[in-house]
Amino acid sequence: MSVDLQQLRREFTSSGITRAQMNENPFVQFEQWIEQASDAQLTLPNAMSLATSNEDEVSLRTVLLKSFDEQGFVFFTNYNSTKSQQIKANPNAALLFPWLDLERQVKISGAVEKISTLESVKYFSSRPKDSQLGAWASSQSSGLTSRQALLMQFEAMKNKFKQGEIPLPDFWGGYRVIPHRIEFWQGRENRLHDRFVYLKQGDNWIIKRLAP
């Protein structure tokens, strides 16, 4: 192997974060950080790794955060996909926002629930038409004989819905991750990183500094 992985490293140079700088509300703190990630013109600052599991395995993939508030963090998918089947078996998940160009990460753990059909319809109708058709055309996570078969299905859906609005598929919609733990990580020199975790206790959040 021509790449020496042991020598791939970077010294973090951030001035770090202090407890006094952390907002008492983790959602306000997250809003500040994702706005800063967007202002820094990071590629897809709303991209997040989503970990789900069942009794047999843990799966990880990248999805897009589409909304958040104090109820939780929302993403959309096919309800027949691998992630959805795992969520059905184990309605808990973890999220990771890897904003490495800012020497930052946010880690979120919590329970998962489906959002309302009304919320899913509202978002689905805002998507580009071809993305709406793509949701209809793809039986996500199932086997495909070829890419051509997928494109043929896409054309079939385009023909089927050529008149009027495209309806929300009954197998597609949103999930909300309801957090009980949110950690903000800021890289520091000598790997002595700053880590602050918000832990849900009743209706309140407590904040702790963690060792790196």
Side-chain angles (χ1 to χ4, degrees):
M1 185 174 179
S2 61
V3 178
D4 186 351
L5 298 179
Q6 294 186 12
Q7 296 305 314
L8 288 180
R9 60 171 57 91
R10 166 180 167 176
E11 186 64 38
F12 296 109
T13 59
S14 168
S15 60
I17 50 176
T18 66
R19 171 63 181 86
Q21 292 173 317
M22 305 301 293
N23 194 284
E24 296 300 317
N25 185 321
F27 299 100
V28 174
Q29 185 64 46
F30 180 82
E31 182 177 20
Q32 293 173 358
W33 273 29
I34 197 169
E35 285 181 351
Q36 290 167 9
S38 180
D39 291 343
Q41 299 184 334
L42 301 189
T43 301
L44 291 176
N46 62 326
M48 58 188 185
S49 299
L50 165 68
T52 57
S53 67
N54 55 24
E55 291 184 353
D56 300 319
E57 64 178 348
V58 177
S59 297
L60 183 69
R61 78 289 289 164
T62 300
V63 299
L64 297 179
L65 177 70
K66 287 301 180 180
S67 68
F68 73 93
D69 55 25
E70 296 203 8
Q71 301 303 309
F73 299 82
V74 174
F75 66 93
F76 292 84
T77 190
N78 186 305
Y79 285 146
N80 297 321
S81 64
T82 296
K83 68 178 80 64
S84 295
Q85 294 305 312
Q86 289 188 328
I87 288 170
K88 184 177 180 180
N90 176 17
N92 296 280
L95 307 173
L96 171 68
F97 292 86
W99 297 322
L100 299 185
D101 284 350
L102 296 180
E103 302 178 351
R104 287 178 173 177
Q105 299 181 74
V106 178
K107 299 192 296 182
I108 299 167
S109 302
V112 188
E113 66 177 15
K114 285 184 177 179
I115 67 174
S116 69
T117 301
L118 182 60
E119 291 175 283
S120 291
V121 168
K122 183 178 180 180
Y123 171 69
F124 186 79
S125 63
S126 74
R127 302 181 90 203
K129 184 175 181 179
D130 282 352
S131 294
Q132 294 177 355
L133 292 170
W136 276 99
S138 175
S139 180
Q140 193 176 101
S141 299
S142 63
L144 269 177
T145 57
S146 67
R147 180 167 181 81
Q148 186 60 33
L150 177 63
L151 296 177
M152 289 175 63
Q153 182 65 7
F154 181 82
E155 290 301 320
M157 293 299 102
K158 185 182 291 187
N159 184 63
K160 179 178 180 179
F161 297 117
K162 62 183 177 182
Q163 301 293 335
E165 295 184 359
I166 301 171
L168 173 74
D170 59 5
F171 53 80
W172 195 95
Y175 285 106
R176 177 179 289 107
V177 178
I178 306 166
H180 59 75
R181 178 187 177 99
I182 305 176
E183 180 186 326
F184 295 84
W185 180 101
Q186 179 73 64
R188 297 295 301 275
E189 66 280 357
N190 303 318
R191 300 299 188 262
L192 300 178
H193 312 304
D194 288 327
R195 297 174 60 190
F196 286 96
V197 63
Y198 293 71
L199 300 171
K200 190 71 180 290
Q201 290 194 348
D203 294 330
N204 301 314
W205 292 91
I206 64 170
I207 308 174
K208 292 183 177 180
R209 179 186 275 274
L210 301 178

